[in-house]
């Protein structure tokens, strides 16, 4: 079973709207990362949030982490067409060997 | 600019043949990883390495070998390619428990 998984397969929003992608995970973690993958490209890291942090921001992006419910969210405000991508969460499963397990991803389409 | 470079960008291989995918990083990172991505799915870890001349099995190592001859280079080897290994392969590097830098991927088609 997936150690990390996003809760929606696909989302679509209109440009300028806000959107939230959710992720749940199954084990203790030391950190969770959010990545974005555009078509034909490798994933690019957006935010790394550690287990002792509750919120992290990066421009129009805001990630939250709730270790009690083992969940995280990534919110994007004022979406743009170039935000169209697949969004992954990845967790390290607190194994101590720094390898991350990725969810299957949420496909976000921003419509002009 | 620090980067992860994969070669080739795409490859067609015949079933039973040997395939080597190469990865080179200029990030001075200790950790390197090989993931595969199947259409519409997330990334699954095949092998990783945290030091030169040493590799570790990931979650799906069967049918794959890895080689880390130097800090900068990490190869993925398919000794006997099979149809089920058709996928996009991504290499990444990182510092300990930090963000990953991914390459652009290698599209492998096994026929």
């Amino acid at each position: 079973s997936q150690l990390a998984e996003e809760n929606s397969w696909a989302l679509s929003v209109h440009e300028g709207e806000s959107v939230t992608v959710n992720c749940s995970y199954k084990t203790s973690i030391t950190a969770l990362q959010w990545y974005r993958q555009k078509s034909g490209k490798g994933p690019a890291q957006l935010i790394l949030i550690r287990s002792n942090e509750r919120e992290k921001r990066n421009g129009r992006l805001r990630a939250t982490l709730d270790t009690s419910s083992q969940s995280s969210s990534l919110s994007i405000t004022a979406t743009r067409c170039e935000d169209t991508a697949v969004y992954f969460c990845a967790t390290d499963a607190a194994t101590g060997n720094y390898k991350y397990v990725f969810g299957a991803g949420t496909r976000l389409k921003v419509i002009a | 600019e620090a980067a992860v470079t994969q070669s080739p960008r795409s490859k067609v291989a015949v079933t039973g043949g040997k395939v080597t995918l190469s990865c080179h990083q200029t990030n001075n990172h200790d950790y390197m990883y090989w993931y595969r991505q199947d259409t519409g799915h997330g990334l699954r870890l095949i092998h990783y390495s945290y030091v030169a001349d040493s590799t570790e099995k990931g979650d799906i190592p069967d049918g794959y070998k890895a080689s880390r001859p130097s800090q900068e280079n990490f190869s993925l080897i398919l000794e006997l390619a099979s149809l089920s290994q058709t996928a996009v392969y991504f290499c990444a590097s990182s510092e300990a428990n930090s963000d990953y830098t991914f390459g652009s991927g290698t599209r492998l088609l096994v026929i």
Side-chain angles (χ1 to χ4, degrees):
Chain A
S1 62
Q2 289 279 90
L3 291 180
E5 56 185 3
E6 297 78 8
N7 296 349
S8 298
W9 173 254
L11 297 169
S12 64
V13 296
H14 287 94
E15 202 170 25
E17 294 179 338
S18 297
V19 66
T20 297
V21 179
N22 294 300
C23 168
S24 58
Y25 57 92
K26 299 182 187 297
T27 65
S28 297
I29 63 172
T30 62
L32 181 147
Q33 301 191 51
W34 283 97
Y35 284 81
R36 173 171 61 194
Q37 185 179 26
K38 297 191 175 184
S39 181
K41 303 289 187 183
Q45 196 245 23
L46 300 174
I47 292 179
L48 183 153
I49 184 165
R50 301 197 186 276
S51 59
N52 61 351
E53 298 175 310
R54 291 297 166 259
E55 178 181 305
K56 202 95 171 268
R57 292 178 183 267
N58 178 9
R60 296 182 294 113
L61 307 176
R62 173 178 170 261
T64 65
L65 180 64
D66 185 341
T67 52
S68 63
S69 63
Q70 297 189 315
S71 64
S72 175
S73 68
L74 176 71
S75 298
I76 308 173
T77 57
T79 54
R80 304 167 181 165
C81 290
E82 54 262 38
D83 293 327
T84 294
V86 181
Y87 290 80
F88 295 97
C89 65
T91 61
D92 68 348
T95 57
N97 55 9
Y98 310 125
K99 59 186 180 81
Y100 277 76
V101 175
F102 285 73
T106 293
R107 283 132 195 86
L108 174 65
K109 183 172 184 178
V110 181
I111 304 164
Chain B
E1 182 178 308
V4 175
T5 305
Q6 294 184 231
S7 61
R9 288 299 308 273
S10 65
K11 184 172 181 65
V12 178
V14 295
T15 306
K18 182 177 180 178
V19 177
T20 300
L21 307 183
S22 299
C23 180
H24 178 80
Q25 56 114 346
T26 59
N27 302 325
N28 201 32
H29 287 162
D30 288 327
Y31 287 75
M32 295 188 74
Y33 313 83
W34 276 106
Y35 285 85
R36 70 174 277 173
Q37 184 174 41
D38 297 280
T39 303
H41 290 82
L43 296 98
R44 291 183 290 169
L45 182 64
I46 307 170
H47 285 288
Y48 66 102
S49 167
Y50 51 84
V51 68
D53 294 322
S54 177
T55 63
E56 305 292 332
K57 293 181 179 179
D59 299 320
I60 53 164
D62 294 345
Y64 302 94
K65 290 172 58 177
S67 173
R68 180 97 182 266
S70 64
Q71 187 195 39
E72 298 80 17
N73 296 295
F74 192 33
S75 298
L76 186 68
I77 303 144
L78 290 65
E79 295 278 4
L80 295 169
S82 67
L83 297 175
S84 63
Q85 293 177 312
T86 291
V88 180
Y89 291 85
F90 288 99
C91 176
S93 73
S94 77
E95 287 295 351
N97 205 14
S98 186
D99 58 290
Y100 287 14
T101 301
F102 280 88
S104 298
T106 294
R107 290 186 174 276
L108 175 65
L109 173 63
V110 182
I111 60 174

